[in-house]
Amino acid sequence: MLGIKEAVERLSSGGVVAIPTETVYGLAADVTNLQAIQEVFSLKRRPTDNPLIVHISSLEQLGEISKPLTKLELSIINKFWPGPLTLILPRKKKVLDAVTAGLETVAVRMPNHSLCLDLLHKTGPLVGPSANLSGTPSPTKKEHVQTDFGPSFPILDGGVCTVGFESTVITCRTNNLSTARKNVSANTKMPSHSDIIIYRPGAISEQQLSEFGSVEYYSASQAEQDSTGSIPILPSPGLKYRHYAPKARVQWLLSIDQLRAVTSTSILLLLDKTQLVDQAQAIEGTFSFQELIQSFNLVDCEDSWERFGQLLYDTFRVADIENYTHVFVQDIRRSTATSSLKDALINRIEKAISG
Ligand code: TXA
Ligand code: MG
């Protein structure tokens, strides 16, 4: 484990350090150091065509990375930074191609984590993809980083991440951003009519963003084609990679019968156990549902969406480490309660279900 001083020293001399943010831990390196950037890709075993997010602590630092902002971008940033929102912006030329995977844009975020902001203030902009091996869930505490990179990996410990899943990634249409790489000819306009396009849902919701303009989710059918017209070029390369699913089978918990049919070891991730018990008792009469669920590893979030978000990836990691065969997740799609986290959580769970 590192103190902040050691973390600054390592990063300034070209090292890679796992750093805390409010969403998930990031694998940080100096944005201007090519060797350090290459080390991040190699440690994560990340394909080099999947660009990295840059973390900053001030608008001055943003100015080193991106071209001037539009009015819309500026108002969005003023509202949500520091926070779990990443903007895809036109990049300054001097940003290394390795960081952006050759794209003309760069993804930038100001994290809402005081230790991380303090670090960034001292180091300057740092790249920070999630600090996991490609194909494992993003890490939400230092133990997760150690599982993937070993017990002596340098980590700046900032405690458990309060959000627990990755930031919302957006772009604003006024930029007319191209998804073309320097060596690929492609159309230059986003085929969209909305002001804001969400590439990856996160804790900043569609509804919160809609105060600033029209919002839509990116869908793969909008992808530009390459010059041969056959290969879609995805504007956010991460979209094309397989998503994490634990070895255990992840399923929505749709009926109590599902649980009765399972005799092997299972984890139950519940938003609210009380609600489930009430539902079950209404259907089953005197049947002791409590008894049935006693044979499961219960993760009850006591009706807190925040807690549910914090525990999602941890539950997946526990399932892998402890060889559970099933992960049942309470069907939050049917929950009448509203939460700004709901869409993003459904998105991550559905990805884990479909692998
Ligand atoms: O919350 C987060 O965003 C965390 C913490 C550590 O900040 N970081 C994170 O990074 O999740 P990563 O690399 O695991 O996910 C970044 C996503 C990827 O899907 C990548 O393809 C996309 O952002 N991305 C990065 N640069 C981009 C660009 N210039 N244009 C479009 N998409 C980009
Ligand atoms: Mg990641």
Side-chain angles (χ1 to χ4, degrees):
M1 237 39 60
L2 305 178
I4 183 137
K5 195 163 163 264
E6 286 169 293
V8 173
E9 277 163 16
R10 270 186 188 250
L11 288 161
S12 308
S13 56
V16 175
V17 172
I19 61 164
T21 81
E22 81 281 33
T23 57
V24 300
Y25 274 74
L27 203 56
D30 176 358
V31 71
T32 63
N33 186 318
L34 180 60
Q35 247 180 339
I37 305 295
Q38 285 166 340
E39 177 71 4
V40 168
F41 277 100
S42 123
L43 276 168
K44 266 186 75 74
R45 297 183 210 142
R46 182 179 179 113
T48 49
D49 69 349
N50 194 359
L52 307 179
I53 293 182
V54 178
H55 293 74
I56 48 135
S57 63
S58 66
L59 292 188
E60 289 71 52
Q61 288 186 358
L62 178 64
E64 297 169 31
I65 304 296
S66 86
K67 294 197 178 141
L69 303 181
T70 62
K71 257 195 195 158
L72 176 61
E73 287 159 349
L74 200 58
S75 35
I76 289 176
I77 281 173
N78 281 334
K79 171 82 178 185
F80 298 112
W81 279 6
L85 181 72
T86 298
L87 269 83
I88 310 293
L89 299 167
R91 64 182 260 201
K92 279 245 167 91
K93 274 214 172 67
K94 67 173 185 186
V95 178
L96 293 173
D97 277 344
V99 172
T100 68
L103 293 171
E104 301 290 359
T105 55
V106 61
V108 191
R109 181 166 104 78
M110 189 189 289
N112 186 15
H113 190 292
S114 54
L115 184 61
C116 183
L117 288 172
D118 189 17
L119 177 80
L120 286 162
H121 181 67
K122 294 177 166 118
T123 56
L126 298 171
V127 297
S130 50
N132 55 311
L133 291 171
S134 290
T136 69
S138 294
T140 59
K141 53 185 182 189
K142 66 170 186 301
E143 289 80 3
H144 296 164
V145 179
Q146 290 171 324
T147 304
D148 283 15
F149 297 111
S152 51
F153 194 82
I155 304 172
L156 178 65
D157 184 6
V160 176
C161 301
T162 53
V163 175
F165 53 95
E166 309 83 350
S167 61
T168 309
V169 178
I170 64 162
T171 191
C172 296
R173 193 176 86 95
T174 40
N175 275 326
N176 270 341
L177 289 183
S178 168
T179 59
R181 285 163 202 263
K182 284 179 170 167
N183 53 355
V184 180
S185 77
N187 302 326
T188 48
K189 292 218 168 91
M190 295 294 297
S192 161
H193 301 291
S194 301
D195 301 317
I196 301 163
I197 300 160
I198 301 179
Y199 289 150
R200 179 173 77 181
I204 303 300
S205 67
E206 176 186 7
Q207 204 199 347
Q208 284 169 292
L209 289 164
S210 68
E211 280 177 37
F212 295 85
S214 52
V215 186
E216 70 180 278
Y217 282 100
Y218 172 80
S219 89
S221 60
Q222 294 168 324
E224 291 176 13
Q225 305 294 310
D226 74 342
S227 48
T228 67
S230 58
I231 306 165
I233 301 170
L234 293 174
S236 189
L239 291 165
K240 74 170 178 255
Y241 290 105
R242 190 184 160 274
H243 280 275
Y244 172 77
K247 285 180 224 103
R249 185 165 168 219
V250 184
Q251 285 165 274
W252 291 114
L253 181 59
L254 302 172
S255 80
I256 310 301
D257 290 338
Q258 274 172 294
L259 299 182
R260 278 223 209 78
V262 173
T263 49
S264 45
T265 50
S266 307
I267 302 192
L268 229 59
L269 174 61
L270 303 180
L271 174 62
D272 183 12
K273 180 178 150 197
T274 339
Q275 201 192 349
L276 193 69
V277 170
D278 290 350
Q279 274 169 13
Q281 277 170 352
I283 303 165
E284 311 265 338
T286 53
F287 170 73
S288 170
F289 178 68
Q290 295 274 19
E291 216 169 277
L292 173 68
I293 57 175
Q294 254 167 34
S295 55
F296 292 82
N297 178 344
L298 267 194
V299 181
D300 179 20
C301 302
E302 297 176 349
D303 206 19
S304 160
W305 288 89
E306 285 72 26
R307 185 119 191 87
F308 191 88
Q310 284 159 8
L311 289 174
L312 182 66
Y313 288 157
D314 189 57
T315 304
F316 290 163
R317 280 186 177 263
V318 169
D320 273 351
I321 290 171
E322 299 184 11
N323 291 317
Y324 283 94
T325 55
H326 292 76
V327 178
F328 291 100
V329 184
Q330 192 164 13
D331 192 358
I332 55 171
R333 298 169 305 176
R334 291 193 295 187
S335 166
T336 47
T338 50
S339 161
S340 57
L341 307 181
K342 194 171 177 177
D343 286 353
L345 287 167
I346 292 173
N347 167 271
R348 301 306 193 277
I349 294 161
E350 285 182 337
K351 287 200 154 132
I353 289 173
S354 65

